[in-house]
């Protein structure tokens, strides 16, 4: 019997609050407890990070506002 792989889903976001509200439930349905979801907020001004903290306060940590860092750097920073 083989073990199922763990999935890491990464969603970069800049002012994507309305899109996250609409589509995040479909992403979460696909993830199992062992899987992880990383949403990297790129200094949004639409309260994306605040909504994520409020909605998922017990499940996930929210990272945001890494000025001057390219998207790959933001992902690497969020994984630390």
């Amino acid at each position: 019997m083989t073990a199922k792989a763990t999935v890491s889903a990464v969603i970069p976001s800049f002012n994507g609050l309305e899109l996250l509200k609409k589509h995040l439930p479909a992403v979460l349905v696909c993830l199992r407890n062992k899987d992880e979801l990383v949403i990297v907020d790129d200094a949004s001004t639409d309260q994306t990070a605040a909504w994520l903290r409020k909605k998922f306060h017990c499940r996930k940590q929210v990272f945001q506002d890494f000025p001057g860092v390219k998207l790959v750097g933001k992902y690497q920073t969020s994984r630390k």
Side-chain angles (χ1 to χ4, degrees):
M1 181 183 295
T2 59
K4 292 184 178 182
T6 300
V7 173
S8 295
V10 180
I11 300 174
S13 176
F14 175 72
N15 288 338
L17 178 57
E18 294 307 315
L19 289 171
L20 288 170
K21 285 180 178 180
K22 181 177 180 180
H23 298 290
L24 197 52
V27 173
L28 293 173
V29 166
C30 296
L31 299 177
R32 298 162 298 163
N33 285 338
K34 296 189 311 184
D35 299 336
E36 70 175 346
L37 173 61
V38 178
I39 300 173
V40 182
D41 181 57
D42 193 8
S44 293
T45 58
D46 67 351
Q47 301 302 311
T48 297
W51 178 79
L52 288 167
R53 282 189 190 96
K54 182 178 178 183
K55 183 88 171 156
F56 302 102
H57 68 281
C58 62
R59 290 187 61 189
K60 303 296 175 195
Q61 187 171 359
V62 177
F63 301 93
Q64 75 172 116
D65 299 338
F66 302 107
V69 179
K70 302 275 187 211
L71 181 60
V72 172
K74 292 174 192 258
Y75 171 70
Q76 290 170 342
T77 301
S78 72
R79 301 283 294 150
K80 292 180 181 177

